[in-house]
Each structure stands twice: as structure tokens, then as C-alpha cells.
Amino acid sequence: MILDITNQIATAYAPTAIGTQVNGTYIDTLTIEDWGMGEALHWLTSINTTVTGNATATLNFILQGAIDSVFTSPVTVAQALPTPILQANFATQAVKGTQYAIKFPRGFAYRYYRLGVVIGTATLIGGAFDSWILNDAIQDNKSYPSGYLVK
């Protein structure tokens, strides 16, 4: 996976309040030089800093699209998880390095895109998020022991 700064829609974004919190950074699809015509696009959100929250906090991510850069009428284009992450699962599902990726709907319906972090029920205490739209497949390399012993 190639992480391109021009395709990044959030860097260490750390909201804490209840509700849909939106990052001020957005992507203007007219400024991207190469989306990889015909290739699948992916929306990736990565946990930059481990999430902590009050006892009943929940967490999810949405990708919003709009026809104007001030997002007068934002539309949820995609949701990262079918159900929110519960606070009880933050230790396993919202730790630094965890990534959530989905295929991006092809054929841009909107010119501008941004990240929304949906915090439910109770506030977050900590946590930060990065997000990109990528024009290549998500890379998920697994390492295996080589069978060699180094002395």
C-alpha cells in the first residue's frame, strides 16, 4: 500500500465529544493526479493512538462526501464498521496500528470527502486517527518463521 499525503483526509485527528466529529481536512478529487484508472479504491482508517473512553463510549468511522468544500449538505458515503466498537472492546479493536479498510464506491459522486468519527453514548478520553483514500489494494503481509536459527 502506498500512503500518499495528497490522499490523506486525517492525520492524528483526536476528537473526544459525543456525536459525529468531523476533521477539518478534506480531499478535493479534482486535485488528485492519478487515482489509478480502473483500479479498486479503498478507504483506510488507522488507529494512530490507542483509544480510551468512558464506560459506555462507542466508536465508528464514516466517510462523508459533499459537492462543496464547506460540506453544506454532507452525505455518508461509507461506514467503516457495521456496528460501533464498544468501550469494552477498545483494548482489542481500537489499539494503535489497527486498521479498518473498505472498498471505496467507484465513480465519485461527490467532489469533496472527509472523515467523520462517530462517538456514541459517552466521551472518549484519548485516541487519534489517520485516514486515506488509496488507489491500490490494502497490503496485509504476514510474517512466518524462516526456520533458521541465528547464533
PDB file of all heavy atoms in Angstrom, residues 4-5 8 22-23 38 40 44 48-49 53 57 73 85 102 109 121 132 136 151:
ATOM      1  N   ASP A   4      -0.197   8.167   0.237  1.00  0.00           N
ATOM      2  CA  ASP A   4       0.121   9.422  -0.431  1.00  0.00           C
ATOM      3  C   ASP A   4      -0.472  10.573   0.373  1.00  0.00           C
ATOM      4  O   ASP A   4      -1.665  10.592   0.681  1.00  0.00           O
ATOM      5  CB  ASP A   4      -0.472   9.383  -1.834  1.00  0.00           C
ATOM      6  CG  ASP A   4      -0.112  10.592  -2.674  1.00  0.00           C
ATOM      7  OD1 ASP A   4       0.318  11.621  -2.109  1.00  0.00           O
ATOM      8  OD2 ASP A   4      -0.284  10.515  -3.895  1.00  0.00           O
ATOM      9  N   ILE A   5       0.348  11.544   0.730  1.00  0.00           N
ATOM     10  CA  ILE A   5      -0.107  12.676   1.541  1.00  0.00           C
ATOM     11  C   ILE A   5      -1.257  13.428   0.877  1.00  0.00           C
ATOM     12  O   ILE A   5      -2.127  13.974   1.554  1.00  0.00           O
ATOM     13  CB  ILE A   5       1.068  13.623   1.892  1.00  0.00           C
ATOM     14  CG1 ILE A   5       0.660  14.609   2.983  1.00  0.00           C
ATOM     15  CG2 ILE A   5       1.564  14.372   0.666  1.00  0.00           C
ATOM     16  CD1 ILE A   5       0.475  14.015   4.323  1.00  0.00           C
ATOM     17  N   GLN A   8      -4.597  11.889   1.882  1.00  0.00           N
ATOM     18  CA  GLN A   8      -4.858  11.751   3.305  1.00  0.00           C
ATOM     19  C   GLN A   8      -5.956  12.720   3.730  1.00  0.00           C
ATOM     20  O   GLN A   8      -5.916  13.902   3.425  1.00  0.00           O
ATOM     21  CB  GLN A   8      -3.582  12.004   4.101  1.00  0.00           C
ATOM     22  CG  GLN A   8      -3.716  11.629   5.546  1.00  0.00           C
ATOM     23  CD  GLN A   8      -2.373  11.522   6.238  1.00  0.00           C
ATOM     24  OE1 GLN A   8      -1.365  12.009   5.750  1.00  0.00           O
ATOM     25  NE2 GLN A   8      -2.367  10.887   7.386  1.00  0.00           N
ATOM     26  N   VAL A  22     -16.170  15.808  12.837  1.00  0.00           N
ATOM     27  CA  VAL A  22     -15.567  15.812  11.500  1.00  0.00           C
ATOM     28  C   VAL A  22     -14.240  16.555  11.509  1.00  0.00           C
ATOM     29  O   VAL A  22     -14.085  17.587  12.146  1.00  0.00           O
ATOM     30  CB  VAL A  22     -16.514  16.407  10.440  1.00  0.00           C
ATOM     31  CG1 VAL A  22     -17.711  15.505  10.246  1.00  0.00           C
ATOM     32  CG2 VAL A  22     -16.955  17.807  10.803  1.00  0.00           C
ATOM     33  N   ASN A  23     -13.307  15.977  10.790  1.00  0.00           N
ATOM     34  CA  ASN A  23     -11.988  16.556  10.655  1.00  0.00           C
ATOM     35  C   ASN A  23     -12.064  17.721   9.678  1.00  0.00           C
ATOM     36  O   ASN A  23     -12.809  17.678   8.710  1.00  0.00           O
ATOM     37  CB  ASN A  23     -11.042  15.464  10.138  1.00  0.00           C
ATOM     38  CG  ASN A  23      -9.621  15.908  10.072  1.00  0.00           C
ATOM     39  OD1 ASN A  23      -9.214  16.857  10.730  1.00  0.00           O
ATOM     40  ND2 ASN A  23      -8.836  15.227   9.264  1.00  0.00           N
ATOM     41  N   GLY A  38      -9.430   2.540 -13.276  1.00  0.00           N
ATOM     42  CA  GLY A  38      -9.878   1.160 -13.356  1.00  0.00           C
ATOM     43  C   GLY A  38      -9.507   0.312 -12.157  1.00  0.00           C
ATOM     44  O   GLY A  38     -10.002  -0.788 -12.000  1.00  0.00           O
ATOM     45  N   ALA A  40      -9.301  -0.684  -8.118  1.00  0.00           N
ATOM     46  CA  ALA A  40     -10.173  -0.537  -6.958  1.00  0.00           C
ATOM     47  C   ALA A  40      -9.604   0.524  -6.015  1.00  0.00           C
ATOM     48  O   ALA A  40      -8.399   0.636  -5.859  1.00  0.00           O
ATOM     49  CB  ALA A  40     -10.293  -1.870  -6.226  1.00  0.00           C
ATOM     50  N   LEU A  44      -9.182   3.824   3.998  1.00  0.00           N
ATOM     51  CA  LEU A  44      -8.470   3.243   5.120  1.00  0.00           C
ATOM     52  C   LEU A  44      -8.478   4.208   6.294  1.00  0.00           C
ATOM     53  O   LEU A  44      -8.165   5.393   6.138  1.00  0.00           O
ATOM     54  CB  LEU A  44      -7.007   2.964   4.716  1.00  0.00           C
ATOM     55  CG  LEU A  44      -6.051   2.563   5.836  1.00  0.00           C
ATOM     56  CD1 LEU A  44      -6.371   1.160   6.333  1.00  0.00           C
ATOM     57  CD2 LEU A  44      -4.611   2.638   5.354  1.00  0.00           C
ATOM     58  N   ASN A  48      -4.109   5.772  15.227  1.00  0.00           N
ATOM     59  CA  ASN A  48      -2.798   6.391  15.399  1.00  0.00           C
ATOM     60  C   ASN A  48      -2.347   6.307  16.853  1.00  0.00           C
ATOM     61  O   ASN A  48      -1.185   6.112  17.146  1.00  0.00           O
ATOM     62  CB  ASN A  48      -2.876   7.850  14.937  1.00  0.00           C
ATOM     63  CG  ASN A  48      -1.609   8.627  15.119  1.00  0.00           C
ATOM     64  OD1 ASN A  48      -1.102   8.730  16.213  1.00  0.00           O
ATOM     65  ND2 ASN A  48      -1.093   9.181  14.039  1.00  0.00           N
ATOM     66  N   THR A  49      -3.288   6.492  17.769  1.00  0.00           N
ATOM     67  CA  THR A  49      -3.040   6.415  19.206  1.00  0.00           C
ATOM     68  C   THR A  49      -4.155   5.587  19.823  1.00  0.00           C
ATOM     69  O   THR A  49      -5.330   5.796  19.504  1.00  0.00           O
ATOM     70  CB  THR A  49      -3.052   7.829  19.844  1.00  0.00           C
ATOM     71  OG1 THR A  49      -2.120   8.650  19.151  1.00  0.00           O
ATOM     72  CG2 THR A  49      -2.690   7.781  21.313  1.00  0.00           C
ATOM     73  N   GLY A  53     -11.840   5.407  26.592  1.00  0.00           N
ATOM     74  CA  GLY A  53     -13.102   6.131  26.707  1.00  0.00           C
ATOM     75  C   GLY A  53     -13.811   5.835  28.001  1.00  0.00           C
ATOM     76  O   GLY A  53     -13.442   4.905  28.728  1.00  0.00           O
ATOM     77  N   ALA A  57     -18.769   4.389  26.203  1.00  0.00           N
ATOM     78  CA  ALA A  57     -18.416   5.005  24.915  1.00  0.00           C
ATOM     79  C   ALA A  57     -18.446   3.978  23.772  1.00  0.00           C
ATOM     80  O   ALA A  57     -18.154   2.799  23.973  1.00  0.00           O
ATOM     81  CB  ALA A  57     -17.036   5.637  24.998  1.00  0.00           C
ATOM     82  N   SER A  73     -24.173  20.210   2.811  1.00  0.00           N
ATOM     83  CA  SER A  73     -25.095  19.065   2.939  1.00  0.00           C
ATOM     84  C   SER A  73     -24.299  17.765   2.813  1.00  0.00           C
ATOM     85  O   SER A  73     -24.362  17.083   1.796  1.00  0.00           O
ATOM     86  CB  SER A  73     -26.171  19.125   1.856  1.00  0.00           C
ATOM     87  OG  SER A  73     -26.925  20.300   1.967  1.00  0.00           O
ATOM     88  N   ILE A  85     -17.700   0.045  17.758  1.00  0.00           N
ATOM     89  CA  ILE A  85     -16.836  -0.635  18.724  1.00  0.00           C
ATOM     90  C   ILE A  85     -17.274  -0.188  20.109  1.00  0.00           C
ATOM     91  O   ILE A  85     -17.371   1.009  20.386  1.00  0.00           O
ATOM     92  CB  ILE A  85     -15.359  -0.258  18.516  1.00  0.00           C
ATOM     93  CG1 ILE A  85     -14.905  -0.603  17.094  1.00  0.00           C
ATOM     94  CG2 ILE A  85     -14.475  -0.968  19.542  1.00  0.00           C
ATOM     95  CD1 ILE A  85     -13.547  -0.025  16.738  1.00  0.00           C
ATOM     96  N   ILE A 102     -12.227  -0.427   3.726  1.00  0.00           N
ATOM     97  CA  ILE A 102     -13.331  -0.924   2.906  1.00  0.00           C
ATOM     98  C   ILE A 102     -13.119  -0.440   1.481  1.00  0.00           C
ATOM     99  O   ILE A 102     -12.436   0.550   1.245  1.00  0.00           O
ATOM    100  CB  ILE A 102     -14.716  -0.472   3.426  1.00  0.00           C
ATOM    101  CG1 ILE A 102     -14.835   1.044   3.378  1.00  0.00           C
ATOM    102  CG2 ILE A 102     -14.983  -0.987   4.812  1.00  0.00           C
ATOM    103  CD1 ILE A 102     -16.240   1.522   3.561  1.00  0.00           C
ATOM    104  N   ALA A 109     -19.212  10.328  -6.653  1.00  0.00           N
ATOM    105  CA  ALA A 109     -20.492  11.017  -6.684  1.00  0.00           C
ATOM    106  C   ALA A 109     -20.343  12.432  -6.130  1.00  0.00           C
ATOM    107  O   ALA A 109     -21.178  13.289  -6.377  1.00  0.00           O
ATOM    108  CB  ALA A 109     -21.518  10.243  -5.868  1.00  0.00           C
ATOM    109  N   THR A 121     -22.753   7.629  23.089  1.00  0.00           N
ATOM    110  CA  THR A 121     -23.104   7.360  24.477  1.00  0.00           C
ATOM    111  C   THR A 121     -22.264   8.086  25.526  1.00  0.00           C
ATOM    112  O   THR A 121     -22.780   8.650  26.461  1.00  0.00           O
ATOM    113  CB  THR A 121     -23.085   5.846  24.776  1.00  0.00           C
ATOM    114  OG1 THR A 121     -23.755   5.163  23.721  1.00  0.00           O
ATOM    115  CG2 THR A 121     -23.795   5.524  26.069  1.00  0.00           C
ATOM    116  N   TRP A 132      -7.090   7.715   4.868  1.00  0.00           N
ATOM    117  CA  TRP A 132      -6.693   7.941   3.475  1.00  0.00           C
ATOM    118  C   TRP A 132      -7.717   7.324   2.523  1.00  0.00           C
ATOM    119  O   TRP A 132      -8.452   6.419   2.896  1.00  0.00           O
ATOM    120  CB  TRP A 132      -5.379   7.235   3.146  1.00  0.00           C
ATOM    121  CG  TRP A 132      -4.173   7.686   3.850  1.00  0.00           C
ATOM    122  CD1 TRP A 132      -3.270   8.618   3.433  1.00  0.00           C
ATOM    123  CD2 TRP A 132      -3.683   7.220   5.106  1.00  0.00           C
ATOM    124  NE1 TRP A 132      -2.258   8.751   4.350  1.00  0.00           N
ATOM    125  CE2 TRP A 132      -2.484   7.898   5.381  1.00  0.00           C
ATOM    126  CE3 TRP A 132      -4.146   6.281   6.032  1.00  0.00           C
ATOM    127  CZ2 TRP A 132      -1.751   7.676   6.533  1.00  0.00           C
ATOM    128  CZ3 TRP A 132      -3.416   6.062   7.179  1.00  0.00           C
ATOM    129  CH2 TRP A 132      -2.226   6.766   7.416  1.00  0.00           C
ATOM    130  N   ASP A 136      -4.661   1.616  -4.371  1.00  0.00           N
ATOM    131  CA  ASP A 136      -4.143   0.265  -4.536  1.00  0.00           C
ATOM    132  C   ASP A 136      -4.702  -0.612  -3.429  1.00  0.00           C
ATOM    133  O   ASP A 136      -5.249  -0.132  -2.453  1.00  0.00           O
ATOM    134  CB  ASP A 136      -2.613   0.249  -4.547  1.00  0.00           C
ATOM    135  CG  ASP A 136      -1.998   0.911  -3.322  1.00  0.00           C
ATOM    136  OD1 ASP A 136      -2.762   1.450  -2.488  1.00  0.00           O
ATOM    137  OD2 ASP A 136      -0.782   0.896  -3.200  1.00  0.00           O
ATOM    138  N   LYS A 151      22.929 -17.873  15.706  1.00  0.00           N
ATOM    139  CA  LYS A 151      23.661 -17.976  16.989  1.00  0.00           C
ATOM    140  C   LYS A 151      24.699 -16.903  17.084  1.00  0.00           C
ATOM    141  O   LYS A 151      25.248 -16.450  16.172  1.00  0.00           O
ATOM    142  CB  LYS A 151      24.341 -19.336  17.097  1.00  0.00           C
ATOM    143  CG  LYS A 151      23.333 -20.457  17.229  1.00  0.00           C
ATOM    144  CD  LYS A 151      24.063 -21.756  17.418  1.00  0.00           C
ATOM    145  CE  LYS A 151      23.058 -22.892  17.570  1.00  0.00           C
ATOM    146  NZ  LYS A 151      23.657 -24.135  17.859  1.00  0.00           N
TER     147      LYS A 151
END
